[in-house]
Amino acid sequence: MNLPEGEFTYNKAASGYGDYYYNGRYQIAGIARYVTAPFVAFGYARLEPDNQFNSKAVAIYTDSDDKIGYISEKELSKFYAETGGVDNIPLVIEAHYYNGKLYGWLYTFSRNKEEYHYLVNQFLKLTEE
């Protein structure tokens, strides 16, 4: 998944949505430009400091390196505060229809020895729905 080396702090926190665990939940902006159907996938967030519209832009990619959108501009400050501006943060990505419109959400995780378990469980819970 093109993840950076190193270990980050894991903040185990109930999401308020059943038993999901993750550090942050963010809306994906522009997902309908890149995606045409609901899906759940692993992925990562890539910083785009050279983005012509916003130097703090964060693009979202699936684990197969397909760009599917950006973190919503209104949530960028929260994302940078959570991640400290580290590139290639691991994610679980969810796209679903609501009232006929495709929405995308991403769930961030910090990396340590327990993260893989929670990342996989989040993915499995989303695919069961």
Side-chain angles (χ1 to χ4, degrees):
M1 286 176 45
N2 291 327
L3 300 179
E5 295 300 319
E7 190 169 302
F8 299 92
T9 305
Y10 180 72
N11 299 315
K12 182 178 176 184
S15 69
Y17 298 93
D19 292 329
Y20 300 146
Y21 292 92
Y22 55 84
N23 283 352
R25 178 176 187 251
Y26 302 88
Q27 187 169 12
I28 301 172
I31 194 164
R33 293 182 189 147
Y34 298 91
V35 177
T36 59
F39 72 96
V40 175
F42 292 113
Y44 60 96
R46 182 178 294 160
L47 306 180
E48 288 190 350
D50 296 330
N51 185 294
Q52 65 180 355
F53 301 106
N54 186 340
S55 64
K56 294 203 179 263
V58 179
I60 306 306
Y61 290 83
T62 65
D63 59 350
S64 58
D65 295 325
D66 297 315
K67 184 189 275 188
I68 59 153
Y70 289 84
I71 291 181
S72 170
E73 191 167 348
K74 67 183 179 182
E75 296 182 313
L76 283 174
S77 294
K78 182 175 106 174
F79 179 82
Y80 275 94
E82 176 191 340
T83 65
V86 174
D87 208 10
N88 297 326
I89 295 294
L91 313 167
V92 169
I93 303 165
E94 169 192 14
H96 65 272
Y97 282 108
Y98 179 74
N99 288 335
K101 185 176 176 186
L102 190 65
Y103 288 90
W105 295 96
L106 61 91
Y107 304 87
T108 59
F109 296 81
S110 57
R111 297 185 313 114
N112 69 17
K113 62 185 177 183
E114 298 168 337
E115 179 181 321
Y116 182 75
H117 169 75
Y118 289 107
L119 194 68
V120 170
N121 281 341
Q122 177 72 13
F123 179 82
L124 292 175
K125 287 177 187 294
L126 289 169
T127 58
E128 290 172 0
E129 292 182 355

